[in-house]
Amino acid sequence: MEEETELKPTRRTTIVTLSQKAGVAPSTVTRALRGDSRISTKTRERILGLAREFGYTPNALARTLSSGRSGLYGLVLGPSTNPFYTELLHEATAQAEALGVRLLIIHAGLGPIEERTAEALLQYQVDGCIISSAIMTSRASEICAANQVPLVMVNRVAMQRACAVTCDNRAGGRELAELLRSKGRRRIAIVRTSSTSSTSQEREDAFAASLAKDDLTLALRLDGHSTYDGGFEAGRTIAAMAPAERPDGVFAVSDIMAMGVLDAFRLAGVRVPDDIAVVGFDGLPSSARPIYDLTTIEQPLPLMIRRSFEILQSRSKDQNQPEEVLSLRGRLIVRGSSGA
Amino acid sequence: MEEETELKPTRRTTIVTLSQKAGVAPSTVTRALRGDSRISTKTRERILGLAREFGYTPNALARTLSSGRSGLYGLVLGPSTNPFYTELLHEATAQAEALGVRLLIIHAGLGPIEERTAEALLQYQVDGCIISSAIMTSRASEICAANQVPLVMVNRVAMQRACAVTCDNRAGGRELAELLRSKGRRRIAIVRTSSTSSTSQEREDAFAASLAKDDLTLALRLDGHSTYDGGFEAGRTIAAMAPAERPDGVFAVSDIMAMGVLDAFRLAGVRVPDDIAVVGFDGLPSSARPIYDLTTIEQPLPLMIRRSFEILQSRSKDQNQPEEVLSLRGRLIVRGSSGA
DNA sequence: AATTAGTGCGCACACGTTTGCGCAACGAAT
DNA sequence: ATTCGTTGCGCAAACGTGTGCGCACTAATT
């Protein structure tokens, strides 16, 4: 203990270290590094040289303390059973890297965001948080509101007051219904999910409304729990029906469920699209696999994430902006599963 | 500007705020909150009460600056095309939540960890970093070494000096080979990956070594690029062979490739396991789907992550511990794809 | 020669928390 | 009545950056 001042193993080089080497004040180093115009080019070059030489890396945490901006964004993901969230994570990571900010995983899975989880947002002073899937307990959203943490819900319209960026679920549902109707499908089932999310409901409502234009109603409504296994079970149920009364079209409100439906049909010998057409929603990369060849609506994920970051950055500058809900049109991808 | 002292919108309550309300020094508040025995129970209760009343949440960043520990762990993930990384993420997130620490996404994808990316580890003063999949540029690993950032490679043995936690790939490869041999399979193909990772090579080596005991050699070696699509292509190649010379067994060194192989066989009408047996490696949840019913080795992911955190925490206390490489036995799961 | 208008930089404090040290007050033991 | 140990707490510095203000110096204008 007595010798600790001697043993200190080459501490990290900081702005203070550099200021001593350069014989200037720490504030000069800060400004030189940030390109402040008040510092002469000569001094700046010298300091930049020293910074490189001694391998200086700024301490983002200290900067946060001083400036208030952390460069950290929270990310809340849904369960691992839906690859959509994996796509979202990768897209968000890539964009964060490009923006020079970092993502903090706040939560991943099914359950709601608890108070304890929400506090992490404050503890690490995040500049904002992207929430997909999960809902917040009212206490958790109170905490965020009270502390001015900008939030944006992705693929979900908030129950609470909050910004949201979603795919246009109604337009997508309508397009898929129109497609099935145009192919002459008349007995149509839906595999939906009964979670608290708005997404499934919107897709179903618009789908059913479009069917109604041909005086059709949904022949069957099954719950697929937003999982492959749930879709598979639903598919087995449909496949087990007598061919005469079996639907000739299925809309699974998410691709992962559609994949389960398709595999169940395949195992049961129900032919797609001859016996029954199948359409999904999300545009997962795996929906393009030849084995599925699934007709679906592709969510514009890159743009959705981009807009999310824009909203967060804008709101962290001025917290009092009105909330905005953004709906982006998806792209219909017609593949073999819906029939020729 | 003149009025800004008036307009300050109820700043977040800090330790200083609390100390004023309680009429004590900030240091007393700190100690009371942390349960220091030197503070009287009465004072502590009073301060805890105020903390609740005013919704105090500690500022983790300021704490880091002062104490050196951030409670942040970096996480580097592989590409979204392999669900294994999704499982890893969710397991790591769940355990981090239980440990009261947070995960910072450092990188997700194929490319190596660049210098710029590695710097994020320093900027946010992470207590350690879990690296799966990616390799680091030598410059990046120099940076981490120089700044004493504890690293642990998961599912990968480091080229550079570093700790690692992996599944016992050799034992797994051997077990799978023994299984196929015991089922009488004699012409065996492997779908591997030529990346720089040690994992594929270890699995293949042990697999081939076991085959050699029956004087068998690998009939075919294909590159599946660790993706479904790569596995699918490999499967098509195999399926296109004349039945007489076609292999009667395939080892795909990762489940995601095995799934591609299986689907290619299905589309080509090659029957599994009658015409050809298929085995994988990783134990992905999706390998259990009835449509795949894939025999595989399940990696003990929960334990792997637990040990990883233990290693990181231990090394952040004492950086000079020798490096350790931990190999955990996987579990053979025999399913239908390898034959009865 | 006196005023002005820059240019280049330093001083000092702030951000919120932790921590080593030390100081009062109090009861107990000499 | 002095010394001692204990309990309970405060002081002040430190962590690394950012920033408002102001000072010195030079050069251009009256």
Side-chain angles (χ1 to χ4, degrees), chain B residues 145-164:
Chain B
N147 295 78
Q148 318 249 39
V149 180
L151 298 181
V152 52
M153 319 285 274
V154 172
N155 196 33
R156 221 140 225 85
V157 171
M159 306 289 164
Q160 308 94 349
R161 330 177 287 122
C163 292

Side-chain angles (χ1 to χ4, degrees), chain A residues 89-112:
Chain A
L89 167 72
H90 278 80
E91 184 61 37
T93 302
Q95 290 196 22
E97 212 152 331
L99 289 172
V101 303
R102 299 285 153 191
L103 293 178
L104 198 60
I105 299 290
I106 295 297
H107 184 71
L110 263 178

Side-chain angles (χ1 to χ4, degrees), chain A:
Chain A
M1 280 299 199
E2 307 77 7
E3 307 177 2
E4 87 165 297
T5 51
E6 295 308 306
L7 288 179
K8 270 183 189 169
T10 52
R11 301 186 60 82
R12 284 186 46 185
T13 68
T14 77
I15 281 196
V16 176
T17 324
L18 291 180
S19 74
Q20 288 161 352
K21 304 273 183 197
V24 298
S27 53
T28 303
V29 176
T30 300
R31 293 196 249 257
L33 294 175
R34 313 210 84 203
D36 190 305
S37 62
R38 296 188 301 171
I39 305 299
S40 70
T41 322
K42 205 178 105 194
T43 309
R44 177 168 52 230
E45 293 299 343
R46 190 158 53 93
I47 291 175
L48 288 180
L50 286 171
R52 262 190 298 275
E53 182 181 348
F54 290 96
Y56 169 76
T57 33
N59 184 328
L61 273 38
R63 175 178 295 167
T64 303
L65 194 57
S66 181
S67 72
R69 283 262 156 76
S70 68
L72 243 33
Y73 286 84
L75 182 62
V76 176
L77 292 175
S80 63
T81 47
N82 193 342
F84 176 75
Y85 300 112
T86 303
E87 296 302 319
L88 197 153
L89 167 72
H90 278 80
E91 184 61 37
T93 302
Q95 290 196 22
E97 212 152 331
L99 289 172
V101 303
R102 299 285 153 191
L103 293 178
L104 198 60
I105 299 290
I106 295 297
H107 184 71
L110 263 178
I113 302 174
E114 307 284 358
E115 179 175 348
R116 225 188 107 219
T117 310
E119 283 182 350
L121 293 172
L122 305 184
Q123 292 181 345
Y124 289 95
Q125 310 263 100
V126 299
D127 292 343
C129 185
I130 292 180
I131 300 181
S132 68
S133 166
I135 54 169
M136 309 180 82
T137 63
S138 58
R139 177 95 183 93
S141 67
E142 262 174 37
I143 293 180
C144 289
N147 295 78
Q148 320 249 38
V149 180
L151 298 180
V152 52
M153 319 286 272
V154 172
N155 198 32
R156 220 141 225 84
V157 171
M159 306 291 163
Q160 307 92 351
R161 330 176 286 122
C163 293
V165 175
T166 70
C167 181
D168 189 336
N169 291 312
R170 296 184 191 281
R174 196 183 326 120
E175 275 191 281
L176 291 170
E178 283 163 5
L179 179 70
L180 289 182
R181 282 159 53 208
S182 77
K183 303 285 187 190
R185 309 288 169 164
R186 311 291 299 170
R187 297 180 56 84
I188 299 183
I190 190 166
V191 181
R192 52 190 289 285
T193 160
S194 61
S195 80
T196 45
S197 106
S198 57
T199 308
S200 172
Q201 197 60 50
E202 288 175 4
R203 293 175 186 176
E204 175 176 351
D205 288 349
F207 186 84
S210 175
L211 288 189
K213 292 182 191 161
D214 281 358
D215 291 322
L216 297 177
T217 57
L218 285 170
L220 189 60
R221 290 174 78 232
L222 296 169
D223 191 344
H225 304 101
S226 289
T227 64
Y228 175 93
D229 291 343
F232 189 80
E233 274 312 310
R236 292 223 300 189
T237 303
I238 294 171
M241 295 172 73
E245 51 183 86
R246 189 195 291 148
D248 57 4
V250 181
F251 172 32
V253 300
S254 57
D255 280 358
I256 188 66
M257 293 193 294
M259 290 160 59
V261 168
L262 285 168
D263 281 343
F265 286 175
R266 189 177 305 274
L267 283 181
V270 174
R271 293 166 308 161
V272 174
D274 304 347
D275 296 337
I276 189 167
V278 177
V279 297
F281 203 120
D282 278 347
L284 294 185
S286 44
S287 69
R289 293 178 183 172
I291 196 87
Y292 294 125
D293 198 27
L294 176 67
T295 292
T296 187
I297 302 276
E298 182 188 54
Q299 296 206 46
L301 202 43
L303 188 56
M304 287 165 69
I305 302 294
R306 188 180 322 275
R307 291 283 178 264
S308 298
F309 275 119
E310 286 171 5
I311 289 175
L312 290 179
Q313 292 186 331
S314 153
R315 292 180 74 83
S316 70
K317 288 193 187 97
D318 173 11
Q319 292 91 338
N320 294 322
Q321 296 178 38
E323 278 122 24
E324 45 188 307
V325 173
L326 188 56
S327 169
L328 299 171
R329 195 65 177 258
R331 183 170 65 96
L332 174 66
I333 304 179
V334 180
R335 297 205 187 93
S337 71
S338 55

